[in-house]
Every structure is written in C-alpha cells, then in structure tokens.
Amino acid sequence: MDTIAVLIPCYNESQTIAKVVRDISAVLPEATVYVYDNNSTDGTGDLARAAGAVVRQEYKQGKGNVIRRMFREIDAKCYLMLDGDDTYPVASAREMVDRVLNRGADMVVGDRLSSTYFQENKRPFHNFGNSLVRTAINCLFHSDIKDIMTGYRAFSYQFVKTFPVLSGGFEIETEMTIHAVDRKMFVENVVVDYRDRPAGSQSKLNTYSDGFRVLMTIARLFRVYCPLRFFGLLALLLAAVSILLFLPILLTYLDTGLVPRFPTLIVSGFIMVAALQSLFCGLLLDNMRQKDCRDFEFQLQQAHDSYRRMQERA
C-alpha cells in the first residue's frame, strides 16, 4: 500500500508528461507516480517511464474509464490526481495531500477559478461553462464547491474505494463532486494556480459536445440523488399546465352551466393524473434513496476496516 499515489491519466501528452512527472516527484519524493496511458500514439508512455513513473495501460478510451481503472487497481493512504498537460503547478500538492493525511479530508478540490484560471485560459466558452456548472451544482445540491471541473484533486482511501465511476468521459469530475456532496463527505478547497497549455499542446476537451454531456450528467445525477425534488418539480409543472387548461373551462361552466370543450377537459385531467404519478414516483424513489444512503454508510465502514487492516499489515 502506497502512502501517496499520484495518478496521471494521459492521452497524447508527449510534450509535457516528462516535466509533470519530474515536477511532482520533486515536490512529493515519497510518492509513487502512476501514469495511465489511454491509447496514446505519440510515445507518452515511454517518456513517462523514462522520467520515473510507473506506466500502465487503459485501452478503453475516455478519462472516466481511466479513472475507474486507477481507483480499482491502486491502494494508497492518499491519492493525488492531476492532468498530464502541465496546466497545474505542483506547488500546492503538499498542502492538498496534507489535508487528506492530517485533517481527514475525503476530497480536496484544487480550485483554479479563484486564482488565475480566467486570465490564463484563452477559451471563453470554457470560462463560461465552468462558471455555469459551478453555479448549477451549488444551487441544486446546496454545496459550496469552488471548482467543479478541475482535474487537480486529492482523495482519501475511503472515497476512492466507495466511489462508483459511472461516466466514461470528462464528466467524471462533475460526478465526483456530486457524489462527495450527497454522501456528506468532508470536502475542502485549496486555491491553486493555473496556466494555459504550452504552445503546440492540444486540449482533448470538446467545448460543445463535452459541455453538453456535463450538463446532461448534472440533470441525471440530480434525478438520481434528489428524486423527490426532481419529480416534485416535474409534478408542480404538470399540475400548473393542467390547472391553466382547466380554469377557462371551469369559468365557462360557472357562467353558462355548459362544458363546451370536452377534449381540453380530458387532456387537463390526464395531465393532472401524470402530475400525481410523478409526485408518488418521487416519494417512492426518495424512500429507496434513503435505504441506499444507509447501505453506503455500511459500505464506508467496510472500506475503513479494510484500510485499517492494510495499515496493520504494512
């Protein structure tokens, strides 16, 4: 079991990966640096190995798939994850690791948005997207996470071994954040500097398609983690539409004693039935989620016991 495992998911980062490995090794000399090569074609893996990293392969494309493999294969007291594009200076690495090892944090978020991100990042839609995602998640989940999309994070053993990786791509960071907030884990923010990619280095993130997937992930996880609020809002919307359709019919009936628009009345009734079904669906799913929360606490205790046994063997 490693004391500190540095996790670097990589795809075609030959221009920067050797520097990232050397820099993080200098700051955390006791750490084991793992580079997971995700089908690179530019020699990224060989350069990382020459710089002193342990290089492994993940053949299923996508950052989420790489992180799933990392979390499954590596055991450590503390995990530090960063990208291989040299956009995160490693000066904050020691503080982030200490928050896990000495303060018991489950996840430490490297907060770019409170420092140099908006000045360094040359892609305005990325700036807007990061702000939009941060605002949406903090409003929907009543949290105070400063940077949702950052790839610079530290984790505890308990977080890594109880986090269900469902996403396959760049939306994985959003999923991590929502999981930690919903499960009431101890999350801390550390302000970190950010620098844009060096000239010639290309981002793998597609502003529009990946941004759309992130927004869909937020909606999906809001439905999963907050079913009563999700289906309650849907029920409220359907009920409002039903009432708007029904009111003119009711007023006409009170005035004339006639119901001239039976099709609209029938549609209004069906929409109200759908609203009631949505409400009861939310209540049922919320009860199931409460049971899932209890099961998770038991799973968390099992992960803690496993962690303690590995420490004793070490």
Side-chain angles (χ1 to χ4, degrees):
M1 186 180 192
D2 299 318
T3 301
I4 303 170
V6 177
L7 310 180
I8 308 177
C10 270
Y11 172 61
N12 285 345
E13 299 289 2
S14 61
Q15 187 172 348
T16 54
I17 186 59
K19 180 178 183 299
V20 172
V21 172
R22 288 194 297 268
D23 288 351
I24 197 66
S25 298
V27 173
L28 298 172
E30 73 275 32
T32 304
V33 180
Y34 295 92
V35 171
Y36 274 67
D37 186 3
N38 194 203
N39 301 312
S40 296
T41 57
D42 62 353
T44 294
D46 293 334
L47 292 169
R49 189 177 292 107
V54 177
V55 177
R56 295 180 180 176
Q57 300 288 326
E58 171 52 52
Y59 296 103
K60 190 172 183 180
Q61 199 67 36
K63 188 174 183 179
N65 297 318
V66 177
I67 291 173
R68 181 185 297 110
R69 177 77 63 182
M70 289 174 160
F71 284 4
R72 184 187 305 158
E73 292 184 349
I74 297 171
D75 294 324
K77 296 178 182 178
C78 174
Y79 301 78
L80 180 71
M81 185 178 75
L82 72 161
D83 295 336
D85 55 10
D86 197 32
T87 56
Y88 300 111
V90 298
S92 302
R94 177 64 66 182
E95 181 183 358
M96 294 173 68
V97 166
D98 286 343
R99 296 285 182 104
V100 174
L101 293 177
N102 299 325
R103 286 174 54 86
D106 290 299
M107 182 171 71
V108 181
V109 176
D111 173 19
R112 310 161 299 169
L113 304 188
S114 299
S115 62
T116 57
Y117 182 80
F118 294 108
Q119 292 77 39
E120 286 287 328
N121 185 35
K122 304 303 188 295
R123 295 157 293 183
F125 284 108
H126 285 211
N127 294 341
F128 171 74
N130 272 282
S131 299
L132 175 65
V133 170
R134 177 176 62 179
T135 302
I137 287 181
N138 285 333
C139 288
L140 290 174
F141 294 90
H142 306 299
S143 59
D144 187 29
I145 307 298
K146 302 300 184 183
D147 189 349
I148 306 298
M149 303 292 293
T150 179
Y152 198 12
R153 298 171 188 252
F155 309 101
S156 67
Y157 176 86
Q158 285 84 355
F159 178 93
V160 166
K161 297 305 180 183
T162 58
F163 172 56
V165 182
L166 302 179
S167 300
F170 285 101
E171 62 272 27
I172 184 66
E173 283 95 355
T174 304
E175 188 176 318
M176 287 177 178
T177 303
I178 294 175
H179 174 77
V181 169
D182 180 75
R183 298 308 187 185
K184 298 179 175 59
M185 292 187 166
F186 182 20
V187 179
E188 291 202 316
N189 300 284
V190 170
V191 177
V192 301
D193 289 331
Y194 177 87
R195 56 189 173 221
D196 204 9
R197 282 174 170 267
S201 177
Q202 296 294 323
S203 173
K204 316 306 181 298
L205 178 65
N206 184 288
T207 302
Y208 302 103
S209 63
D210 287 313
F212 179 76
R213 279 200 294 270
V214 167
L215 293 176
M216 291 300 100
T217 297
I218 294 173
R220 173 176 60 82
L221 294 177
F222 181 59
R223 173 178 57 82
V224 171
Y225 286 113
C226 304
L228 184 56
R229 289 171 60 198
F230 179 87
F231 286 101
L233 289 172
L234 180 60
L236 186 63
L237 176 63
L238 291 171
V241 172
S242 175
I243 291 170
L244 286 174
L245 292 174
F246 177 71
L247 275 178
I249 299 173
L250 177 63
L251 293 175
T252 301
Y253 174 76
L254 293 176
D255 186 42
T256 66
L258 300 174
V259 182
R261 292 182 291 172
F262 269 104
T264 304
L265 178 63
I266 293 170
V267 169
S268 172
F270 275 115
I271 293 176
M272 184 58 73
V273 169
L276 292 172
Q277 286 180 326
S278 179
L279 177 61
F280 283 109
C281 181
L283 289 169
L284 178 62
L285 290 174
D286 189 64
N287 285 333
M288 295 173 64
R289 199 188 78 85
Q290 293 297 325
K291 180 182 182 302
D292 181 61
C293 288
R294 291 192 292 270
D295 292 342
F296 176 78
E297 291 300 321
F298 177 69
Q299 183 184 5
L300 198 62
Q301 183 60 47
Q302 286 183 315
H304 177 72
D305 292 342
S306 173
Y307 174 74
R308 188 174 56 194
R309 286 194 297 270
M310 280 192 287
Q311 280 187 309
E312 291 171 354
R313 286 198 298 269

